[in-house]
Amino acid sequence: MGEQVRSMVILISGTGSNMQAIARACVEQGWSARVAAVISNRAEAAGLRLAAEMGIATEVVEPRPGAGREAYDQELARRIDRHAPDAVVLAGFMRVLGEAFVGRYQGRLINVHPSLLPAFPGLHTHRRALEAGVKWHGATVHLVSAQVDAGPIVDQAVVAVQDDDTEASLAARVLQQEHRIYAPAVRALLEGRLRLQGRRVRTLATARDAA
Ligand code: GRF
C-alpha cells in the first residue's frame, strides 16, 4: 500500500533559509511528504520569494493593528488548518504564539532556536553567548510547548566559539548547523518517529522501528 503523503506548513518571518533547507531536503531526499504552504507574518519576508521560486504556495497573515495576540493566533490557525498539516514548522518565525495556538498543534509543532537550550532562550542569543564568554554555543530543535523556547529537545548541534568571533560570524556558523539538523528532525516528526518520554525525546532510526 502506498505510504500516505504527509504535509507540513512552514512559518517564517524573514530570510527563510531554514525553510529552504527543509523544502530542499524534502524534494531531494524524496520524503513521502510535501510543503503545503509557507506562511509569513510579514509581507516583506524574503523567504516568501524563495518559497515561490520552489513552486510552494505562500501566504501572508499580518497582524491587524489593534487586534490582540489571541485574534492573530486564531486567524493564523484558520489559515493553517485549511491545509490540514501533519506538522507546523516554525523556521525563523519571530512571533510568540499563545497557549491556545500551541495547545491546538501540540505534538506536531516544532521550532529551531539559535542556542543550546536551556541556555539563552529569547532573542540576541549570539551576542549574549559572546558576552557570557561561553566556549560552546549552537542550535536546538525542540517541540513547542506553552513556555517559550522550553519544549522537549529533539536535537542539538554544538558550535565552538572562536576567540575572534563576532555576533555575525558566530551566527553564520550556528545557522549552518540549524540547516543540518532541522530537516532530519522534521522528517522524523512527519514519519511518526519521535517518542516523548517525560521531557526527553527519542528519535527512532527508521520508519520500520516506528511500527
Ligand atoms: C535563525 O538563526 C533562526 O534560528 C532564527 O532566525 C535566524 C534566521 O532564520 N530564529 P531563517 O534564515 O529565516 O530560517
Side-chain angles (χ1 to χ4, degrees):
M1 180 182 77
E3 279 179 339
Q4 182 202 356
V5 177
R6 300 270 191 266
S7 78
M8 70 186 107
V9 168
I10 304 179
L11 305 187
I12 65 168
S13 295
T15 317
S17 69
N18 275 290
M19 172 279 296
Q20 188 179 49
I22 293 164
R24 278 183 174 158
C26 185
V27 171
E28 291 165 7
Q29 297 164 11
W31 300 2
S32 58
R34 59 187 284 270
V35 181
V38 168
I39 300 179
S40 178
N41 59 316
R42 297 176 57 243
E44 57 277 16
L48 289 168
R49 190 146 33 80
L50 290 182
E53 283 164 6
M54 296 176 76
I56 299 170
T58 61
E59 299 177 35
V60 175
V61 182
E62 284 187 308
R64 284 210 314 278
R69 175 179 301 285
E70 185 75 23
Y72 179 82
D73 286 1
Q74 285 169 357
E75 173 60 14
L76 182 61
R78 194 180 66 77
R79 300 284 289 277
I80 289 169
D81 288 350
R82 292 196 317 201
H83 302 285
D86 299 288
V88 178
V89 180
L90 307 181
F93 188 66
M94 299 307 278
R95 275 184 70 96
V96 173
L97 293 161
E99 202 148 338
F101 183 98
V102 171
R104 184 181 188 77
Y105 298 107
Q106 192 92 36
R108 54 183 168 132
L109 185 58
I110 191 166
N111 184 41
V112 62
H113 181 76
S115 79
L116 290 176
L117 291 173
F120 310 119
L123 300 174
H124 311 302
T125 60
H126 311 300
R127 181 193 317 162
R128 290 158 60 202
L130 290 170
E131 285 167 355
V134 297
K135 298 307 177 185
W136 299 97
H137 187 37
T140 300
V141 175
H142 63 94
L143 297 175
V144 177
S145 63
Q147 195 188 347
V148 178
D149 297 336
I153 292 170
V154 176
D155 199 1
Q156 294 188 299
V158 176
V159 168
V161 181
Q162 313 294 348
D163 294 342
D164 60 352
D165 258 325
T166 63
E167 188 177 348
S169 63
L170 185 55
R173 282 204 313 286
V174 170
L175 192 58
Q176 280 179 322
Q177 293 305 311
E178 291 177 45
H179 295 165
R180 183 175 64 78
I181 67 172
Y182 206 3
V186 169
R187 184 175 190 175
L189 174 61
L190 285 166
E191 293 179 352
R193 289 189 284 110
L194 296 184
R195 291 291 180 274
L196 204 48
Q197 289 153 334
R199 277 197 50 81
R200 298 186 68 182
V201 178
R202 194 158 56 90
T203 300
L204 302 180
T206 63
R208 179 172 38 82
D209 297 335

